[in-house]
Amino acid sequence: MGGLAMEEMPLSALFEQARKIHLAASESGVDQDVVKKGCEMFQKCEDMIGKLALFSSNETKEDISTNNLKYLLVPYYLAELTEKIIQDDRIPIVKASYAKLKEFFSFCEAMELVPDEELEASSRGGSGAPADRRALKIARFKRQKAAEAKLLEIKERKERRGRSTKASALSTPVESGEEDIPDDDSEEEREAWLSSINLAICKAIDLLEMLKREEEMLSAIKERQLKDGEDGFSRDALDDRTKKAETWHRDAAARIQYSKPAQPITCATFAQDVLEGRASVSQGHDHKNQPLIFGPASIVGGPLSTERERMIAQVFQPSHRMPTMCIEDAGLTEMNIMNDWQEQTKKAIEEATTSWYNDKPLRRKEEDEEEDDEDEEAVMKARAFDDWKDDNPRGAGNKKLTPCG
């Protein structure tokens, strides 16, 4: 692979060669040309990963194949190699390395690889009680040591298996066709890469804090030097602003690969106004659409008083009535009308149901009272009639009509 150019190398070979440079630079000092060569290789890996679309925003670590897990470390390796570049102006190097580490951290967060306590600390922006920060650093150090121990264990296990395989191969003759049978260690390889990613996350968080402090110190020193009377203040400020804008656009292009898309603009007139600077995206549905005016009517100011002015304004006008709102506004208006109608219908049904429910016991009570009154009147009437019969026995008033009377 050493004879192939960088453009001709496959992604796996390019990543392994760049990873060797990163390992050599981490263990001992290497030449700056080699470090810059490794940065170019990792940048080429990033371009190839983006073109191949190996990762998606709706994936998690369980959805990524074992062969592609290692490519999650490309931004982290690139950040560490970039930080080792030596030049007179240190601030651009620190900013570039910091941006790549933030990209790596955001990518791991989208893939659900970052612990919850680290996410909470990142959302707080580093502020918090000293005891909480100390406990967080202790937990991070324990995770880092556990990841290193896991990687060492996997490495020793592979070495023992290799020695055992070599010894068995020397003692047992290899038959034809058996020498190319690979070991089924995909689970072990996946475990190793996940441990490497966890270790990189721990180191990246510490490196982010260190680079942030270094940038603040270098910026303070540069501002002090500029205040002391050095020339080229405006030029340096303009260059710094340009670099910030380029960094922002580059980071935004990298984040868009795994970030959720924004809500689309469904009103064509509003989209045109946003593109031409007459409105902002945050205004949303507050945008009011004005009817389009063609011909002389567009230059006539004030009310049309005479018949001549009205005839002039009608020249080159469309034969149909122009719309006063877009389709989105019309749909929202119809939706509001439908909601009002549903609320009124629901209110009327509730009132009718409540009235019928409340009137029924009242009507039943009134009927019961009327029945009680009628029963009392009948009883009194029967008693009065009984008293009258007692006072007037049957035939008592006809004594003079009898023959013996």
Side-chain angles (χ1 to χ4, degrees):
M1 289 296 177
L4 292 178
M6 190 185 304
E7 291 76 10
E8 300 176 355
M9 296 175 65
L11 177 59
S12 58
L14 187 63
F15 175 79
E16 290 299 330
Q17 190 168 348
R19 186 163 167 263
K20 291 179 181 178
I21 296 177
H22 171 267
L23 184 62
S26 301
E27 293 179 351
S28 60
V30 295
D31 189 18
Q32 287 293 305
D33 294 336
V34 179
V35 174
K36 293 178 181 179
K37 183 68 174 179
C39 292
E40 293 178 2
M41 288 183 174
F42 280 123
Q43 289 174 357
K44 181 64 177 178
C45 289
E46 279 192 335
D47 295 339
M48 296 177 69
I49 290 171
K51 292 179 181 179
L52 295 174
L54 296 183
F55 308 111
S56 176
S57 59
N58 57 355
E59 288 182 342
T60 58
K61 58 183 178 181
E62 288 79 11
D63 302 324
I64 302 176
S65 64
T66 303
N67 294 330
N68 295 338
L69 268 177
K70 55 187 176 183
Y71 300 127
L72 291 175
L73 294 167
V74 170
Y76 170 73
Y77 289 156
L78 179 58
E80 281 200 334
L81 276 183
T82 304
E83 192 268 337
K84 296 181 183 300
I85 296 177
I86 300 175
Q87 66 179 27
D88 296 336
D89 191 2
R90 175 72 177 167
I91 295 180
I93 298 298
V94 173
K95 289 183 177 180
S97 179
Y98 187 87
K100 282 300 172 184
L101 287 175
K102 290 292 289 184
E103 179 184 342
F104 170 70
F105 188 83
S106 301
F107 205 179
C108 292
E109 179 182 354
M111 296 297 167
E112 300 179 359
L113 289 166
V114 183
D116 295 337
E117 56 267 19
E118 297 291 353
L119 293 178
E120 294 177 0
S122 177
S123 62
R124 291 195 301 266
S127 61
D132 296 338
R133 294 200 300 268
R134 181 175 181 275
L136 184 64
K137 285 192 175 183
I138 292 174
R140 188 186 307 150
F141 180 76
K142 290 181 179 179
R143 289 197 305 272
Q144 181 176 345
K145 289 301 180 182
E148 291 176 352
K150 192 68 176 177
L151 288 174
L152 183 60
E153 178 187 353
I154 294 174
K155 182 180 179 181
E156 292 177 353
R157 196 188 309 162
K158 285 184 177 180
E159 290 178 353
R160 288 196 303 269
R161 187 167 58 248
R163 290 194 297 267
S164 175
T165 304
K166 186 180 295 185
S168 61
L170 292 175
S171 60
T172 305
V174 179
E175 297 181 1
S176 176
E178 292 184 353
E179 62 274 4
D180 295 331
I181 299 178
D183 295 330
D184 188 12
D185 56 351
S186 59
E187 291 296 331
E188 188 177 65
E189 182 182 0
R190 186 177 187 84
E191 188 178 5
W193 284 119
L194 287 175
S195 300
S196 300
I197 293 172
N198 293 331
L199 178 61
I201 291 173
C202 297
K203 292 183 178 180
I205 295 173
D206 294 333
L207 189 56
L208 279 171
E209 296 178 358
M210 185 190 70
L211 291 176
K212 186 177 181 180
R213 290 194 297 268
E214 184 179 358
E215 183 182 357
E216 292 174 354
M217 294 172 58
L218 293 174
S219 299
I221 294 173
K222 188 175 182 180
E223 289 178 0
R224 184 178 300 175
Q225 291 175 353
L226 292 174
K227 287 181 180 179
D228 290 341
E230 289 191 358
D231 297 332
F233 172 76
S234 59
R235 183 65 181 176
D236 291 341
L238 183 60
D239 293 342
D240 186 61
R241 185 178 300 177
T242 303
K243 290 178 181 178
K244 285 182 178 180
E246 292 176 353
T247 303
W248 185 88
H249 285 289
R250 185 171 59 252
D251 295 343
R255 287 194 302 268
I256 198 63
Q257 300 176 3
Y258 50 85
S259 60
K260 295 182 179 178
Q263 293 293 330
I265 299 176
T266 56
C267 178
T269 310
F270 178 48
Q272 186 67 24
D273 289 349
V274 171
L275 292 176
E276 295 178 0
R278 293 190 297 270
S280 61
V281 180
S282 60
Q283 292 178 359
H285 299 305
D286 296 336
H287 175 69
K288 304 298 181 182
N289 299 280
Q290 300 295 333
L292 299 177
I293 301 177
F294 299 91
S298 60
I299 59 175
V300 174
L304 304 178
S305 57
T306 63
E307 184 67 23
R308 181 182 178 84
E309 290 178 350
R310 282 194 293 270
M311 293 179 66
I312 291 175
Q314 292 176 1
V315 178
F316 299 118
Q317 293 298 304
S319 59
H320 57 277
R321 295 178 61 184
M322 298 301 295
T324 58
M325 63 176 65
C326 65
I327 297 176
E328 183 188 34
D329 293 338
L332 292 174
T333 303
E334 292 183 2
M335 184 64 70
N336 293 332
I337 294 173
M338 181 61 66
N339 291 334
D340 295 340
W341 180 81
Q342 289 181 351
E343 289 179 359
Q344 294 176 2
T345 305
K346 183 179 180 181
K347 186 176 180 181
I349 293 174
E350 289 179 354
E351 290 178 354
T353 306
T354 306
S355 178
W356 172 80
Y357 182 81
N358 292 334
D359 290 348
K360 186 174 181 180
L362 182 60
R363 192 181 303 112
R364 184 181 303 170
K365 184 177 180 181
E366 292 176 354
E367 291 177 356
D368 294 341
E369 291 178 355
E370 292 177 358
E371 290 178 358
D372 294 341
D373 294 340
E374 292 177 358
D375 292 342
E376 291 179 1
E377 291 178 0
V379 170
M380 295 299 293
K381 188 175 181 180
R383 288 178 180 176
F385 186 65
D386 290 340
D387 293 341
W388 184 84
K389 287 196 297 182
D390 292 340
D391 296 338
N392 301 282
R394 182 179 181 83
N398 298 325
K399 287 182 180 180
K400 295 180 180 182
L401 298 178
T402 59
C404 297

